[in-house]
Amino acid sequence: MSMDLDAPVPFAAQEQINATILCCNCGAPIDGTTSAGALCQDCVRTTVDISEGIQREAGLHTCKDCERWLLPPTSWVSAALESKELLALCLRKLRGLSKVRIIDASFIWTEPHSKRIKVKITIQQEAFQGSSTIIQQGFVVEYVVSSLQCPDCQKSFTPNTWRAAVQVRQKVPHKRTFLYLEQLILRHRAHQDTVNIKEAKDGIDFYYSQRSHAEKMVEFLSSVAPVKVKKASELISMDIHTSTKSYKFTYSVELIPICKDDLVALPIKLARSIGNISPLALCHRVGTAVNLLDPNTLQTAEVPTGTYWRSPFRNLADVTQLVEFIVMDIEPVGRSNGRFHLAEATVARASDLGSNDQTYFTRTHLGGVLHVGDSVMGYHLTGTNFNDSNFEAIEASSQYGSTIPDVILVKKHYTRKKNKTRNWRVKRMALEHEEEALHSAAAENRKQEQERERLEADFEMFLRDVEEDQELRGTIELYKARKAREQNAGGMEMDEDSDDDGVPKINMDELLDDFDELNMNDE
């Protein structure tokens, strides 16, 4: 009798080949080809510990002053108790956790004063290498919280509280530019990384704990205003063993001394290079460049930042030198340029009415808003002496000397009721004032009173510019006043004062409701 060794084995015979063994722990029969270390699945779950090698205790460091947590090696992060950020920090602290799969992690409540944080972690892993048995286990890790002062708080107890400073300066007799710049900073949240903001003479100082934050502020200022930047550094300390040095960086940002509504006298060569505009012009807007307007022809020109600093010039007069005039007669010419309309006007000084009949003839760009009897603010050039070489060159020029007008009108003047409350307001930054040593308390009180009155006048002038210039208020954020919010919420209409007819007003649709911003004071 012979057998064919190459013949296929029946399926029933294959099942008999699989070996059955007994569990070495409990004696239960198991499949020997798939068993994990000769243990049944129940014994594997009870005897194999997949969390072996993972810490059960760890430490956390927190700063009591700023309530931040240490993220090794040198980072400090803000995280509230039982938050996702703190949970992620706790999981990073455990060694061996990267070798297993995390299924769940949650905090276990502990006493707030116990300086202990407990986290329950659930993990999964194969019982043995190459085994198909998956084990899921949960365990508790206890963290001991220790106090450690962060480097930033350490600096607060030393004179070196900041690492970089941005000094913004503009040498003009008013604060209108800084009030507008403040609103731009608030709108774009460019001040959120500052350590301190201090008001100084002719400007504002911004202090930062990192150099990169100061450079970011410098870039923002360069993108919204024509500036010139200078950088300086000061050595604070040096380690002679490692050659490690610590510096303080100061960025000096100088704004051009030209503001909106200023009268300027350009160098004749510069005026010809930017479109042959009249050298005697008005500044009608300051953005990333200086925008000029010739009120006699409505011609406009733009002086870029680089061009200005190569050929700098100062203003002949600013808004503090404006004189009130009364329009006696006005006739449109028919020429216009955007919102400017050319007209010929006869005006008289408001202070001369009733004393003499002196009138002045001029051409103005305000033909679209002025009517007979209106008040208008302008510069009175007749009999005025300007100590400016550019203006003297214009007077001596045969081309421009005979075209200097007696009066240059700037903007319409609106009569407002005193102490009139507005239905809107703007937010202000919290500034620290620079202290100066004065000889007596009386002199200090007198100077503080004068400074307060000047700041109030500048702020009122800025608010009027916002009301009158729609293009200006489109770049800043305006908020509803408390009275306007209450009336709007109750469905009441705003009461309009008949004495302020004709005064520009801001619609409620242009105002915002959010008042919960941090580090801001409402005005």
Side-chain angles (χ1 to χ4, degrees):
M1 185 176 180
S2 63
M3 294 181 60
D4 189 0
L5 299 178
D6 296 331
V9 181
F11 182 73
Q14 289 183 357
E15 291 182 350
Q16 296 177 358
I17 294 175
N18 295 336
T20 299
I21 62 176
L22 300 179
C23 175
C24 64
N25 190 18
C26 64
I30 58 175
D31 188 357
T33 60
T34 60
S35 61
L39 291 173
C40 64
Q41 292 186 359
D42 295 336
C43 293
V44 168
R45 293 188 181 95
T46 57
T47 58
V48 177
D49 185 11
I50 60 174
S51 64
E52 186 178 1
I54 301 177
Q55 293 177 266
R56 293 297 195 277
E57 294 182 354
L60 293 175
H61 297 281
T62 182
C63 178
K64 287 184 177 180
D65 297 326
C66 62
E67 298 182 352
R68 293 187 299 173
W69 302 82
L70 174 62
L71 178 60
T74 58
S75 300
W76 291 81
V77 296
S78 299
L81 290 176
E82 298 191 4
S83 63
K84 295 186 295 183
E85 293 79 8
L86 183 58
L87 182 61
L89 177 61
C90 293
L91 296 179
R92 288 196 193 100
K93 295 283 292 184
L94 297 182
R95 292 191 303 268
L97 200 59
S98 59
K99 300 178 181 179
V100 297
R101 180 184 178 187
I102 302 176
I103 301 300
D104 186 29
S106 60
F107 288 100
I108 300 177
W109 185 85
T110 56
E111 291 287 346
H113 56 80
S114 64
K115 295 294 183 179
R116 297 292 187 274
I117 294 178
K118 293 183 179 181
V119 178
K120 182 179 180 181
I121 303 174
T122 304
I123 60 174
Q124 277 186 356
Q125 194 183 25
E126 295 179 353
F128 300 99
Q129 185 69 26
S131 173
S132 61
T133 303
I134 304 298
I135 299 178
Q136 178 173 310
Q137 287 184 353
F139 57 95
V140 177
V141 180
E142 182 176 323
Y143 296 87
V144 179
V145 180
S146 304
S147 298
L148 181 65
Q149 198 172 43
C150 66
D152 294 337
C153 293
Q154 290 177 2
K155 292 180 182 178
S156 63
F157 294 93
T158 66
N160 303 322
T161 57
W162 52 272
R163 179 59 58 88
V166 179
Q167 299 176 345
V168 187
R169 297 291 184 271
Q170 185 185 39
K171 302 199 178 294
V172 293
H174 55 82
K175 293 286 187 179
R176 293 170 61 219
T177 302
F178 286 102
L179 291 171
Y180 175 61
L181 189 63
E182 178 183 7
Q183 298 305 313
L184 291 178
I185 292 174
L186 291 174
R187 177 175 184 176
H188 297 278
R189 311 296 186 265
H191 66 302
Q192 59 184 0
D193 295 324
T194 55
V195 175
N196 190 16
I197 304 176
K198 181 180 295 185
E199 186 175 8
K201 184 180 180 181
D202 297 329
I204 303 177
D205 294 340
F206 299 89
Y207 297 94
Y208 298 89
S209 60
Q210 297 182 23
R211 179 184 177 184
S212 59
H213 295 162
E215 293 176 345
K216 185 178 179 181
M217 171 60 81
V218 172
E219 292 177 0
F220 171 78
L221 295 175
S222 302
S223 65
V224 298
V227 299
K228 181 172 63 175
V229 182
K230 294 182 180 179
K231 185 181 73 171
S233 59
E234 178 187 358
L235 180 64
I236 300 175
S237 62
M238 181 179 66
D239 189 346
I240 61 174
H241 301 288
T242 61
S243 297
T244 302
K245 301 179 182 179
S246 179
Y247 288 93
K248 271 186 176 181
F249 298 92
T250 303
Y251 296 87
S252 176
V253 180
E254 181 181 355
L255 299 173
I256 64 170
I258 307 296
C259 302
K260 183 177 179 291
D261 298 332
D262 283 0
L263 178 65
V264 298
L266 301 174
I268 296 179
K269 184 177 180 181
L270 175 62
R272 291 173 178 171
S273 66
I274 59 175
N276 201 22
I277 191 175
S278 173
L280 192 64
L282 282 175
C283 174
H284 70 90
R285 191 174 71 90
V286 178
T288 54
V290 182
N291 295 271
L292 303 177
L293 168 70
D294 181 7
N296 291 319
T297 62
L298 298 186
Q299 182 183 357
T300 58
E302 183 178 281
V303 182
T305 304
T307 303
Y308 175 84
W309 292 114
R310 286 192 297 269
S311 301
F313 55 89
R314 293 192 61 84
N315 56 355
L316 286 179
D318 54 49
V319 292
T320 61
Q321 300 170 323
L322 289 174
V323 179
E324 184 180 356
F325 293 89
I326 304 298
V327 180
M328 311 302 294
D329 187 22
I330 187 167
E331 184 69 26
V333 175
R335 187 185 306 173
S336 62
N337 183 3
R339 59 189 177 94
F340 304 122
H341 300 272
L342 190 62
E344 295 179 347
T346 301
V347 298
R349 284 199 305 180
S351 59
D352 292 343
L353 294 180
S355 60
N356 58 55
D357 298 329
Q358 180 70 39
T359 60
Y360 304 94
F361 176 80
T362 184
R363 304 186 79 181
T364 178
H365 61 290
L366 303 175
V369 295
L370 291 183
H371 304 88
V372 176
D374 287 346
S375 296
V376 59
M377 306 300 292
Y379 296 110
H380 190 202
L381 304 185
T382 301
T384 304
N385 294 323
F386 296 106
N387 185 17
D388 188 276
S389 59
N390 294 330
F391 185 74
E392 294 173 359
I394 295 173
E395 288 182 319
S397 173
S398 59
Q399 179 181 357
Y400 303 107
S402 60
T403 61
I404 298 178
D406 296 330
V407 173
I408 295 181
L409 303 181
V410 178
K411 59 182 179 179
K412 185 176 180 179
H413 177 64
Y414 298 93
T415 303
R416 291 172 170 84
K417 186 178 179 180
K418 290 185 178 180
N419 300 325
K420 173 66 176 178
T421 58
R422 293 179 169 88
N423 64 339
W424 59 276
R425 58 179 172 179
V426 295
K427 289 186 176 181
R428 304 294 305 276
M429 291 189 300
L431 305 178
E432 289 188 5
H433 297 276
E434 189 178 58
E435 297 181 356
E436 296 183 0
L438 298 177
H439 299 290
S440 64
E444 181 179 359
N445 295 334
R446 184 169 59 253
K447 185 169 183 178
Q448 289 179 353
E449 183 68 22
Q450 293 175 353
E451 182 69 16
R452 182 165 55 253
E453 292 177 355
R454 187 178 67 86
L455 291 177
E456 290 177 356
D458 292 342
F459 188 65
E460 176 64 25
M461 189 182 303
F462 171 72
L463 295 181
R464 293 188 178 188
D465 289 341
V466 173
E467 287 178 337
E468 299 170 8
D469 193 343
Q470 185 176 4
E471 182 182 355
L472 175 64
R473 66 174 177 261
T475 60
I476 62 179
E477 291 181 343
L478 305 178
Y479 299 87
K480 295 177 183 177
R482 182 176 293 105
K483 180 179 178 181
R485 292 204 315 274
E486 293 174 354
Q487 292 183 354
N488 191 32
M492 302 171 58
E493 295 183 358
M494 290 294 298
D495 53 337
E496 301 292 344
D497 198 331
S498 59
D499 295 339
D500 286 345
D501 289 342
V503 177
K505 296 180 176 63
I506 299 178
N507 297 328
M508 296 295 291
D509 298 338
E510 302 179 43
L511 306 179
L512 304 176
D513 291 320
D514 186 13
F515 294 93
D516 296 328
E517 298 293 332
L518 299 178
N519 301 326
M520 300 181 190
N521 295 329
D522 291 333
E523 283 291 336

